Amino acid sequence: MSGHHISSAKFLWGIGIALFFLTFVTVAVTWIQIPEPWNIVVAIGIAVVKALLVVLFFMNLYWDSKFNSLLFIFSLIFFGLMIGITLLDTLFRNDPTPLF
Amino acid sequence: MSSTSATEEKRLDHVQHHFVDSEQQFESAKMGMWVFIVTEILMFGGLFVAYIVYRSWYPELYLEASTQLNAFWGMVNTFVLIGSSLTVAMAIRSAQLNQIKGLIYNLYITIGLAFTFMVIKYFEYSEKLGKGIAPGEYYTYDGLEHEKANIFFSIYYMMTGLHGVHVTIGIGLMIWLVVKAKKNVFHSEYYTPVEITGLYWHLVDIIWIFLFPLLYLID
Amino acid sequence: MATSEASTTYKKIQVRRYKPEENPEKNYLNEEKGLWAWLTTVDHKKIGLMYLASIAFFFLVGGILALILRTELWTPARSFLDADLYNQVFTLHGAIMVFFFLVPSVPTVLGNFVLPLQLGAKDVAFPRLNLASFYIYLIGALFTLTAILTGGVDTGWTFYTPYSATTGGNVIMMTLGVFILGFSSILTGVNFIVTIHKLRSPGMTWAKLPLNLWALYATSIIQILATPVLAITLLLLTMERALGIGIFDPALGGDPVLYQHFFWFYSHPAVYIMIVPGFGIISEVVSTFSKKIIFGYWAIALSSLAIAFIGFLVWGHHMFTAGQSSLANLVFSFLTFMVGIPTGIKIFNWVATMYKGSIDMKTPMVYVMIFLFLFMIGGFTGIMVGALSVDIHLHDTYYVVAHFHYVMVGGMVMAFLGGIHYWWPKMFGKMYSELWAKIAAGILFIGFNMTFLPQFIMGSQGMPRRYFNYLEQFQPFHQTSTVGAYLMGTGFLIVAIYLTYSLFKGKKAGPNPWGSRALEWQTASPPPLHNFEHIPVIINGPYDYHKPMSEFQLGVASKHNGHHAEETVDVPESAQEKA
Ligand code: HEM
Ligand SMILES: [Cu+2]
């Protein structure tokens, strides 16, 4: 009963500041021109960390029932399937029939 | 649970008949919201698929076209939205601690930030539309070489547009919360709508966290 | 239960035996009276009935459109529709049948009605949301009807671009209608998932969940994962028409095959939204009328989830000839074969349930037999068209039309009818005429096969789908098909008549006319407004036909006890005997 997690104001502010800081970092790394694939990796990596902070500590998934986390993870898995399988087509449109 | 019978009554009047207790009702509502968040993620997921497919086809298009987006204002908007996420989290904390005033103030700030976001978005849109950077068919701008520039901006408008609709809905929900809070509906044992709306608002924030680098920071 | 669990301490609750009342004076149908009470009700049972009425209406509309199509196809040349009108009619037939009848049918009607009853809950988790989703459905329907009246749509139910972006008519209205409808579907899914998780009565563990609920659970999962993608697809399509955004339109630099990916990412899983609830009904009915515990409970339960998952991986089998990469063709064809596995598992388990059971051929069971026969044909031909090389030949022919009618009508509509006949006594407390029901089932079976069996032959000989005229050589097949369609129409009419008649003149049903062990039968027919006069306590599975009925009629003796989702219950041996 009454397992509602109450975060301290300090903690929430801490997460907020971390998010502000990471936002600044993503912008800053574009000034130093990282070469092709890595700039995307870094940008997405930082975005993932930020999203995780929000999900875990603002949306309280860290303290919440495991099933809610499972739901969240499943939505990402199915998004991954959607994009992954679609790319099987779009990336290989012009290739001839694969030979095995 | 030490309270007089009068407050006891107040504490239970929100429990609907088909739930056994407040806790079951709260957990159900929260799970419902998480399920709904799944649907939101897949709905935006469709747009992200379009984004990724076109980016894999035309990487140079994205490099070129994103120069038209103003990274500075994108960053400001990111700060604004993250700030509003923080205030929503604070609002929930206030509700949990029975500080109704704090709840209302935090909601006010959130609404203000959300408005700020939309206003900045409005200026961004009108600046682009003024230049002829409209979606798809109506694209008339000739400052970009790439023949598929219109597609990039279609994707841009769809993603940010759908996100903007979500922000607007969020503002509406937040105003509704303020009205309810002023009527003294919420207390530490019942703040489900605040919690649920908060989850929704954080999701809107997360989507922007991805939209910002994917659209504004390509180079 | 395993003996190791005996040592754990359970919370003890007092239970009593409650025999359901034979002829209760008050029930959900007469407790709140008047039209307004109906329109604003949050009672899941009444909402289910309102859905039943709306869905029956759309089935009628879709059915009439089908008969119009079949009538036009009586002769090889034009009979009375020109090509454009024919295109509009088949589009509306398909869209209405899929989006407004089949997708919502079982979950919203039977699911709404039965789900809380089978859980022992008073209602679904979000009753107001439930009502809202009904009205969202109606608004979506209104949009669609407007589309029909203001120009029509001739794109086919799949709305393929670029045709749908450029053709005349009122496509926007139609796509918006379906878009809105999608939210109704999503909200129902949200409601069901939370209800199953949170509102189970004491003792209703996952292992005792009726298979109907496992099926609805799997369906809800597909609904919440796939429907939002349909929503965004239709939104993009609407924008394509309204603003020419061009993402799917090659004339503007877009890619039409991408549209097909989007569309089928929803629509293949959607065929499982349509059929999996049917599987649930079959499981219930098979066990009840074989008077035997279901064979392979977990196999059936988990195969529903497996279908839900694999169903998401195969959408490209609709695009073998659309110009996707050969690699994708290959992978999709392989994955498509895998869908057959969990489906096969189910069929074997149903048949094994019947083996050595004392089978009682009441009408619902007759429909189960029809289902098994027709769905098998539909499933096997699905595997046929899933084979890449074969499908190159069969794609867009009547073979495909026959395939999906065998699964959707032969499978799902028959399962739906089985479910309606099974739960009709519970819904209204009245029995229908067993004789007429069987006659109608026979007519439907014969009519159905007459309609669609010839289409397999025509299709394999090259008769393309979606044409209003055809080569003379196909005429005998088409005419057989048309006669069959009218026969089926007659069958449905008979069903409508005797069911309606039973409402007024039917015999009283009593709480449990089939002698079922499932929970929904342990309350009065029709049920009281809040489903049970007590909070039910579950100690046996819903298919435990080897145990006496009295063990299934237990309820919490005191108020406000149990009902927590996680709470486990132990019933002292002596309490069970209490009358
Ligand atoms: C064993 C399971 C199944 C397999 C392997 C399967 C396979 C296929 C394949 C490969 C096609 C594409 C044929 C073509 O267009 O050339 C198809 C079409 C179709 N299937 Fe199935 N199917 C299965 C079950 C179902 C079920 C259960 C339903 C519905 C309840 C269904 C409904 C449809 C529909 C509506 C189409 C045609 C869509 C259109 O083009 O308009 N299928 N199926
Ligand atoms: Cu399919």
Side-chain angles (χ1 to χ4, degrees):
Chain A
M1 255 303 266
S2 213
H4 301 194
H5 176 84
I6 306 182
S7 304
S8 72
K10 229 190 196 158
F11 179 78
L12 292 177
W13 269 101
I15 300 296
I17 288 169
L19 289 170
F20 286 135
F21 176 71
L22 285 171
T23 306
F24 179 73
V25 172
T26 27
V27 178
V29 291
T30 60
W31 298 335
I32 51 171
Q33 299 286 353
I34 306 174
E36 230 326 289
W38 298 109
N39 55 357
I40 305 176
V41 173
V42 170
I44 297 297
I46 295 176
V48 167
V49 173
K50 283 162 74 180
L52 270 181
L53 286 178
V54 175
V55 168
L56 290 177
F57 303 119
F58 277 177
M59 297 167 96
N60 287 349
L61 216 44
Y62 187 78
W63 298 279
D64 208 342
S65 110
K66 291 280 168 297
F67 183 74
N68 291 348
S69 307
L70 201 69
L71 281 172
F72 183 67
I73 293 168
F74 261 85
S75 70
L76 298 182
I77 291 177
F78 279 86
F79 168 68
L81 285 174
M82 177 163 49
I83 180 62
I85 300 181
T86 305
L87 285 176
L88 271 187
D89 165 27
T90 60
L91 287 183
F92 302 96
R93 272 285 162 81
N94 300 321
D95 291 11
T97 315
L99 294 170
F100 291 106
Chain B
M1 285 248 173
S2 59
S3 49
T4 64
S5 63
T7 53
E8 193 77 83
E9 226 166 80
K10 181 191 152 125
R11 290 190 150 179
L12 289 179
D13 59 3
H14 60 272
V15 181
Q16 291 171 292
H17 80 279
H18 58 291
F19 290 113
V20 175
D21 55 28
S22 183
E23 188 64 18
Q24 189 192 23
Q25 176 169 326
F26 178 77
E27 289 296 328
S28 302
K30 198 163 58 173
M31 180 187 287
M33 192 61 205
W34 273 105
V35 177
F36 187 73
I37 284 175
V38 170
T39 72
E40 288 280 6
I41 290 175
L42 277 138
M43 180 148 127
F44 274 97
L47 289 176
F48 279 97
V49 169
Y51 174 96
I52 294 171
V53 165
Y54 276 96
R55 185 158 180 178
S56 72
W57 276 337
Y58 311 110
E60 70 292 348
L61 162 68
Y62 281 64
L63 274 180
E64 194 184 325
S66 78
T67 53
Q68 293 299 317
L69 301 179
N70 189 323
F72 175 74
W73 285 113
M75 183 179 72
V76 172
N77 254 350
T78 312
F79 283 133
V80 168
L81 267 198
I82 289 177
S84 73
S85 248
L86 177 60
T87 53
V88 162
M90 297 295 280
I92 293 172
R93 179 185 143 77
S94 304
Q96 287 171 325
L97 297 175
N98 234 342
Q99 298 161 348
I100 304 307
K101 265 217 176 104
L103 167 65
I104 294 175
Y105 284 142
N106 275 308
L107 286 174
Y108 275 144
I109 303 175
T110 313
I111 295 169
L113 288 170
F115 262 112
T116 314
F117 179 90
M118 289 309 285
V119 167
I120 292 177
K121 208 75 230 143
Y122 169 79
F123 281 114
E124 278 189 59
Y125 272 14
S126 50
E127 185 252 354
K128 272 184 210 62
L129 292 174
K131 278 204 275 185
I133 304 184
E137 209 175 4
Y138 298 96
Y139 181 86
T140 52
Y141 184 62
D142 48 14
L144 289 174
E145 304 269 286
H146 205 285
E147 55 167 343
K148 308 238 174 190
N150 59 342
I151 301 281
F152 175 86
F153 287 103
S154 291
I155 293 175
Y156 164 81
Y157 278 115
M158 283 307 296
M159 286 180 129
T160 54
L162 190 62
H163 180 260
V165 170
H166 278 79
V167 173
T168 315
I169 294 174
I171 293 175
L173 289 174
M174 230 78 79
I175 292 173
W176 169 70
L177 286 183
V178 170
V179 172
K180 278 200 130 182
K182 286 199 167 162
K183 285 195 198 144
N184 247 333
V185 178
F186 302 126
H187 45 91
S188 57
E189 296 291 306
Y190 175 69
Y191 58 94
T192 315
V194 187
E195 172 87 19
I196 301 300
T197 312
L199 287 177
Y200 170 86
W201 190 254
H202 293 309
L203 177 78
V204 173
D205 184 25
I206 289 177
I207 288 163
W208 183 258
I209 285 178
F210 282 96
L211 289 185
F212 172 53
L214 286 177
L215 293 170
Y216 290 81
L217 295 182
I218 313 168
D219 55 12
Chain C
M1 283 270 149
T3 40
S4 61
E5 285 183 26
S7 56
T8 41
T9 48
Y10 287 117
K11 184 175 169 188
K12 286 220 160 55
I13 56 175
Q14 267 296 318
V15 295
R16 265 181 49 195
R17 186 176 165 210
Y18 288 85
K19 218 169 169 238
E21 240 182 297
E22 274 299 323
N23 282 313
E25 232 158 68
K26 276 193 175 170
N27 58 49
Y28 79 102
L29 289 169
N30 61 18
E31 195 138 323
E32 303 160 334
K33 276 214 162 69
L35 186 64
W36 187 244
W38 270 86
L39 294 180
T40 58
T41 184
V42 290
D43 177 33
H44 66 99
K45 300 184 283 305
K46 284 187 189 157
I47 294 176
L49 295 192
M50 293 200 291
Y51 267 120
L52 178 59
S54 335
I55 274 160
F57 171 75
F58 276 107
F59 188 61
L60 179 69
V61 175
I64 291 172
L65 291 169
L67 288 181
I68 294 176
L69 293 173
R70 286 302 341 160
T71 311
E72 163 60 37
L73 291 170
W74 184 256
T75 59
R78 179 182 168 205
S79 310
F80 70 105
L81 293 179
D82 61 14
D84 279 338
L85 204 56
Y86 183 85
N87 290 351
Q88 290 194 6
V89 174
F90 79 64
T91 301
L92 291 174
H93 163 70
I96 286 180
M97 284 302 200
V98 169
F99 294 118
F100 290 88
F101 172 68
L102 216 47
V103 167
S105 61
V106 171
T108 61
V109 179
L110 296 174
N112 256 330
F113 193 93
V114 176
L115 183 136
L117 282 167
Q118 287 194 324
L119 282 176
K122 286 182 186 159
D123 210 320
V124 291
F126 312 117
R128 275 175 304 189
L129 203 63
N130 202 15
L131 183 66
S133 75
F134 174 69
Y135 282 107
I136 295 173
Y137 171 87
L138 285 192
I139 295 171
L142 224 58
F143 270 73
T144 307
L145 293 177
T146 320
I148 300 179
L149 298 177
T150 58
V153 182
D154 66 347
T155 59
W157 75 282
T158 48
F159 308 117
Y160 274 10
T161 56
Y163 185 68
S164 58
T166 49
T167 176
N170 204 342
V171 179
I172 289 191
M173 208 47 122
M174 183 85 189
T175 50
L176 280 181
V178 177
F179 175 81
I180 294 169
L181 184 79
F183 285 95
S184 157
S185 188
I186 287 175
L187 294 181
T188 305
V190 172
N191 226 331
F192 283 8
I193 289 180
V194 176
T195 309
I196 292 176
H197 269 273
K198 293 292 182 192
L199 291 185
R200 306 203 298 275
S201 57
M204 180 63 82
T205 58
W206 286 99
K208 295 199 182 84
L209 209 58
L211 288 166
N212 184 43
L213 296 190
W214 275 104
L216 283 174
Y217 187 68
T219 310
S220 304
I221 289 177
I222 311 176
Q223 273 175 319
I224 60 148
L225 288 169
T227 318
V229 178
L230 175 72
I232 195 68
T233 310
L234 293 176
L235 197 65
L236 283 168
L237 181 57
T238 308
M239 290 299 156
E240 193 85 49
R241 264 186 92 86
L243 298 175
I245 56 172
I247 293 176
F248 298 137
D249 187 351
L252 294 166
D255 183 50
V257 179
L258 192 61
Y259 172 83
Q260 298 189 17
H261 280 297
F262 273 58
F263 183 81
W264 289 111
F265 183 87
Y266 165 76
S267 288
H268 184 81
V271 308
Y272 291 104
I273 297 179
M274 300 179 220
I275 195 72
V276 173
F279 293 162
I281 294 172
I282 301 298
S283 305
E284 298 291 307
V285 176
V286 158
S287 174
T288 301
F289 292 96
S290 304
K291 285 277 168 299
K292 207 171 140 240
I293 190 162
I294 193 97
F295 187 90
Y297 173 88
W298 280 110
I300 297 181
L302 295 182
S303 61
S304 291
L305 293 179
I307 288 176
F309 178 69
I310 303 173
F312 274 93
L313 309 179
V314 301
W315 76 81
H317 63 217
H318 296 271
M319 302 163 57
F320 285 153
T321 61
Q324 67 181 349
S325 76
S326 317
L327 178 67
N329 274 346
L330 217 108
V331 173
F332 278 127
S333 184
F334 171 74
L335 290 172
T336 297
F337 293 151
M338 302 221 315
V339 187
I341 299 172
T343 316
I345 289 177
K346 279 185 188 296
I347 306 245
F348 285 127
N349 282 297
W350 291 326
V351 176
T353 305
M354 286 190 271
Y355 178 67
K356 288 197 172 163
S358 37
I359 295 177
D360 185 3
M361 267 296 167
K362 289 273 171 25
T363 309
M365 195 60 174
V366 171
Y367 278 109
V368 167
M369 296 301 175
I370 297 180
F371 168 92
L372 286 176
F373 187 80
L374 299 180
F375 182 73
M376 292 268 274
I377 297 178
F380 280 129
T381 53
I383 299 292
M384 306 271 293
V385 286
L388 183 47
S389 49
V390 180
D391 188 58
I392 302 293
H393 177 66
L394 294 177
H395 177 69
D396 261 346
T397 66
Y398 263 75
Y399 194 92
V400 172
V401 176
H403 152 65
F404 66 73
H405 281 90
Y406 264 85
V407 273
M408 302 212 294
V409 182
M412 186 55 177
V413 176
M414 294 305 150
F416 182 58
L417 283 174
I420 290 277
H421 285 86
Y422 181 57
W423 280 301
W424 191 263
K426 183 53 62 182
M427 291 167 136
F428 298 103
K430 297 286 173 60
M431 293 305 279
Y432 44 83
S433 154
E434 198 51 49
L435 176 68
W436 275 106
K438 282 185 181 139
I439 292 174
I443 293 178
L444 283 176
F445 180 72
I446 296 168
F448 178 84
N449 283 300
M450 264 181 84
T451 315
F452 294 107
L453 212 52
Q455 298 189 356
F456 278 126
I457 305 168
M458 268 194 280
S460 59
Q461 294 176 359
M463 170 74 211
R465 64 192 280 209
R466 295 181 172 173
Y467 281 84
F468 82 120
N469 52 9
Y470 51 85
L471 298 181
E472 214 129 321
Q473 74 186 84
F474 296 121
Q475 191 168 19
F477 299 117
H478 273 300
Q479 292 193 334
T480 316
S481 194
T482 303
V483 173
Y486 275 96
L487 208 55
M488 250 165 85
T490 317
F492 284 119
L493 213 63
I494 299 176
V495 174
I497 291 171
Y498 70 72
L499 283 183
T500 317
Y501 180 81
S502 78
L503 289 183
F504 302 101
K505 294 276 170 66
K507 279 198 307 243
K508 283 226 156 39
N512 194 354
W514 316 125
S516 172
R517 294 296 190 268
L519 187 54
E520 76 270 26
W521 299 102
Q522 315 306 337
T523 184
S525 306
L529 192 57
H530 296 314
N531 296 347
F532 296 91
E533 302 297 356
H534 54 276
I535 297 170
V537 172
I538 285 83
I539 47 171
N540 298 307
Y543 310 110
D544 288 351
Y545 284 93
H546 48 285
K547 294 182 181 156
M549 189 65 92
S550 56
E551 285 193 23
F552 293 82
Q553 298 171 335
L554 302 173
V556 170
S558 58
K559 271 194 189 170
H560 276 296
N561 210 343
H563 216 313
H564 280 278
E566 273 87 30
E567 201 164 288
T568 38
V569 202
D570 187 24
V571 181
E573 217 53 61
S574 60
Q576 287 176 25
E577 303 330 317
K578 274 188 199 164

